[in-house]
Amino acid sequence: MSYIFEVEGDWVWTPANRPGRLYVGMADAAAAVLGLPTGLETDSGDTYEIDVPAFGAFVGGMLTLRASSGHLYLNMMLDGILPLSVAILYRAGGSLSPATPDERDLLVRIRAMDLPMTGA
């Protein structure tokens, strides 16, 4: 069993059940802190349609918070979800426009991770 994250029927990421469930839970928690919707909509519990503009705003909100925060623990938690979220956004056809040098530097570091998005 696996989760499916898709855009208009095209699969973007298909992780196993536990990673998919953990990602959704982490996204929901981050969205609550940011006061933004995740842009992930489900009607079946394990298939999520990505609303690319809303998801992009959500990921951008995490990027801004991570780049501007000096809080060690908050940054550690965001480091657990932000790189994967950026990879999902790019794979879904979205983009990010860093507003500050710190945001740009953070995106460069995330892109250098070269996440394979193979579903692992």
Side-chain angles (χ1 to χ4, degrees):
M1 179 178 268
S2 65
Y3 272 51
I4 298 169
F5 295 85
E6 63 184 18
V7 175
E8 297 179 1
D10 292 328
W11 292 6
V12 174
W13 185 42
T14 58
N17 190 36
R18 288 193 295 182
R21 204 170 68 222
L22 181 58
Y23 178 77
V24 169
M26 292 171 70
D28 287 343
V33 169
L34 292 168
L36 295 171
T38 63
L40 303 172
E41 301 295 329
T42 185
D43 59 7
S44 69
D46 61 358
T47 299
Y48 287 82
E49 179 70 23
I50 301 170
D51 175 330
V52 178
F55 188 68
F58 166 64
V59 176
M62 286 193 293
L63 177 68
T64 297
L65 179 58
R66 174 60 182 90
S68 64
S69 172
H71 195 284
L72 174 67
Y73 301 122
L74 177 63
N75 290 347
M76 288 172 60
M77 288 183 270
L78 287 169
D79 286 345
I81 187 173
L82 183 58
L84 180 54
S85 298
V86 168
I88 292 169
L89 177 64
Y90 288 158
R91 187 133 183 209
S95 63
L96 291 167
S97 298
T100 67
D102 288 338
E103 288 180 20
R104 186 179 55 252
D105 292 346
L106 184 54
L107 272 181
V108 166
R109 288 198 315 267
I110 290 170
R111 286 186 190 132
M113 292 177 181
D114 196 26
L115 297 175
M117 297 302 298
T118 59

